[in-house]
């Protein structure tokens, strides 16, 4: 037996259901929403109740998402494929990878924050290099440390200024030459001090005669560029 297209429509699952035009047989004639309040006080009361219910549901949704993300990370750690986890969680593979990447970035920021905090505690004050810090905290590259520092609200500009580029090292001048201006230097909030200003504030630089005039240098003895030594310092 066949049905004419005018009277039925096929769903995506292959089932046949009535055409969604006009009133469906057996459908209620009126909407099932609660009757709208009439008075002003009733409107305000109802809006307040809806807002509280929305907040409650949003908190539940956030908790469910956190639990889902934790389970996905646990599954990846146990060797499950991102495709299998995505299918089970009704997500895309790209979303599962994004969850894993976000967790890795968050973990990297935490490790960098702890390492920088430990470095800042050293007396006398010390600097380090991006490469040494990357090795000490288990991040793959100096560039990864730079990205983590740039997006890390737990590391102040004054603390981040202590992480130096290896290419600034100048054996002839006895240390790391700090540029007077640094276009890529990033600050946070109202803290607009330059790297040089921060290092001056911590008495980490000395003015030294250079080939083209005076320069500011962090002496080699004030820079822990050895990853093994740095690892011991931040673990103490």
């Amino acid at each position: 037996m066949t049905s004419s297209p005018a009277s039925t429509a096929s769903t995506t699952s292959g089932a046949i259901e009535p055409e969604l035009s006009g009133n469906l047989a057996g459908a209620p004639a009126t909407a099932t929403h609660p009757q709208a309040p009439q008075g002003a006080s009733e409107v305000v009361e109802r809006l307040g109740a809806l807002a509280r219910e929305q907040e409650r549901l949003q908190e539940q949704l956030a908790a469910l998402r956190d639990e889902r993300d934790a389970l996905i990370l646990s599954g990846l750690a146990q060797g499950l494929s991102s495709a299998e986890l995505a299918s089970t969680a009704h997500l895309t593979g790209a979303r599962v990878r994004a969850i894993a990447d976000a967790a890795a970035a968050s973990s990297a920021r935490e490790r960098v924050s702890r390492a920088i905090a430990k470095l800042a505690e050293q007396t006398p004050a010390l600097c380090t290099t991006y490469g040494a810090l990357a090795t000490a905290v288990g991040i793959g590259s100096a560039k990864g440390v730079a990205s983590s520092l740039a997006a890390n609200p737990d590391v102040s500009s004054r603390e981040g200024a202590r992480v130096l580029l290896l290419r600034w090292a100048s054996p002839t001048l006895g240390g790391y030459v700090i540029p007077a201006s640094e276009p890529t230097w990033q600050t946070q909030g109202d803290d607009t001090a330059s790297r040089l200003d921060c290092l001056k504030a911590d008495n980490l630089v000395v003015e030294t005669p250079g080939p083209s005039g005076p320069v500011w240098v962090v002496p080699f003895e004030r820079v822990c560029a050895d990853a093994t030594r740095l690892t011991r310092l931040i673990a103490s």
Side-chain angles (χ1 to χ4, degrees):
M1 176 178 174
T2 61
S3 300
S4 66
S7 61
T8 61
S10 174
T11 66
T12 55
S13 61
I16 303 298
E17 37 180 56
E19 182 67 47
L20 300 180
S21 61
N23 290 329
L24 299 180
T30 58
T32 58
H33 298 295
Q35 184 176 0
Q38 301 300 317
S41 62
E42 291 177 325
V43 169
V44 172
E45 182 180 352
R46 180 57 181 161
L47 284 175
L50 288 175
R52 291 189 294 273
E53 180 67 7
Q54 182 177 347
E55 289 177 357
R56 184 183 67 81
L57 293 174
Q58 287 175 338
E59 290 174 357
Q60 289 183 348
L61 180 59
L64 289 173
R65 284 174 173 166
D66 288 344
E67 182 180 1
R68 177 204 65 188
D69 292 355
L71 288 171
I72 286 174
L73 295 174
S74 176
L76 291 171
Q78 296 178 44
L80 296 177
S81 70
S82 59
E84 180 180 359
L85 292 169
S87 175
T88 305
H90 294 182
L91 298 172
T92 63
R95 178 57 186 156
V96 169
R97 291 189 293 273
I99 291 171
D101 291 344
S106 176
S107 175
R109 285 194 298 270
E110 291 176 4
R111 297 197 304 274
V112 168
S113 296
R114 289 196 297 268
I116 293 294
K118 284 289 187 180
L119 183 68
E121 293 174 359
Q122 302 302 312
T123 304
L126 284 176
C127 292
T128 188
T129 64
Y130 287 100
L133 184 56
T135 301
V137 299
I139 294 178
S141 67
K143 189 175 182 179
V145 167
S147 298
S148 179
L149 282 172
N152 199 328
D154 295 327
V155 177
S156 68
S157 297
R158 189 162 174 174
E159 292 172 330
R162 296 190 180 195
V163 187
L164 311 178
L165 291 172
L166 185 61
R167 62 182 173 84
W168 291 342
S170 173
T172 57
L173 296 177
Y176 289 72
V177 180
I178 306 303
S181 63
E182 197 175 345
T184 58
W185 175 248
Q186 296 185 18
T187 58
Q188 298 175 11
D190 296 331
D191 185 2
T192 58
S194 68
R195 184 195 299 271
L196 182 56
D197 290 336
C198 294
L199 294 175
K200 283 181 179 179
D202 287 331
N203 297 315
L204 279 162
V205 287
V206 294
E207 194 172 23
T208 304
S212 302
V215 293
W216 290 95
V217 175
V218 180
F220 282 130
E221 62 268 19
R222 305 294 294 276
V223 181
C224 180
D226 180 74
T228 302
R229 181 189 170 206
L230 181 62
T231 302
R232 291 196 299 266
L233 287 176
I234 62 179
S236 61

